[in-house]
Amino acid sequence: MPRSYTLVREQFIPLPLDQVFPFFADAGNLQRITPPWLNFKILTPLPLEMKTGALLDYQISLFGVPMKWKTRIEEFTPQERFVDVQLRGPYRVWHHTHEFTATADGTQMRDTVRYEMPFGPLGTITHALMVRHMLKRIFDYRFETIERELVKR
């Protein structure tokens, strides 16, 4: 049985939920919060209506190797949460839950990613040597970009 991993990241954004949620629900902003070294490109024509069942095609390039991804919005609850799942891409499983909670001072955002690597033991080794660190860098970049783009406007 493949090993499952979980990445959880939280970030407080001192803006009201009605300003924060639309930023993340706009697929066009995904490129803004993705590190440039991934050469991220949305292939689906924009704007995309974000709703349950919406499909998003995009491409990244890792070490010069292009990889196409297809995700489906499995759940979309405005002002609260949305979940995207990988239909095609580099992971065996990718299930990303984005949650937003209004607080007295702003919005608490939480990302929970459950994922599995392909290729059995080789995937486990790749995760230990590279993928775990790479995902940390991607989500660190997202955190910093959100701070710069939303918080320090």
Side-chain angles (χ1 to χ4, degrees), residues 3-144:
R3 183 162 177 205
S4 183
Y5 304 96
T6 302
L7 171 75
V8 177
R9 284 294 183 96
E10 292 195 34
Q11 184 168 7
F12 175 75
I13 303 169
L15 293 170
L17 180 60
D18 64 355
Q19 289 180 29
V20 172
F21 189 85
F23 178 85
F24 292 94
D26 180 348
N29 286 326
L30 189 53
Q31 187 163 341
R32 292 171 65 184
I33 62 173
T34 301
W37 50 267
L38 284 174
N39 299 307
F40 180 88
K41 181 180 178 185
I42 296 173
L43 303 175
T44 302
L46 298 176
L48 172 73
E49 181 185 356
M50 190 67 94
K51 62 182 181 179
T52 300
L55 299 174
L56 179 62
D57 289 296
Y58 49 95
Q59 179 176 301
I60 63 170
S61 181
L62 197 56
F63 306 115
V65 178
M67 291 181 242
K68 290 190 177 182
W69 277 47
K70 180 185 255 334
T71 59
R72 180 184 69 236
I73 303 302
E74 186 174 84
E75 177 187 339
F76 186 78
T77 306
Q79 307 292 47
E80 187 178 319
R81 66 190 267 137
F82 61 96
V83 178
D84 61 87
V85 295
Q86 173 193 282
L87 300 178
R88 182 181 70 235
Y91 293 91
R92 185 174 183 281
V93 171
W94 180 269
H95 186 276
H96 185 174
T97 302
H98 312 253
E99 298 174 287
F100 304 84
T101 305
T103 69
D105 300 323
T107 304
Q108 186 68 34
M109 181 179 72
R110 179 183 175 106
D111 286 296
T112 305
V113 181
R114 288 185 303 104
Y115 62 100
E116 294 176 8
M117 299 295 298
F119 309 122
L122 181 60
T124 301
I125 292 167
T126 303
H127 181 264
L129 294 176
M130 183 179 73
V131 173
R132 180 179 55 215
H133 176 69
M134 182 182 64
L135 287 174
K136 180 187 179 316
R137 284 182 58 209
I138 291 169
F139 278 84
D140 286 350
Y141 181 89
R142 287 172 62 113
F143 185 98
E144 293 162 8

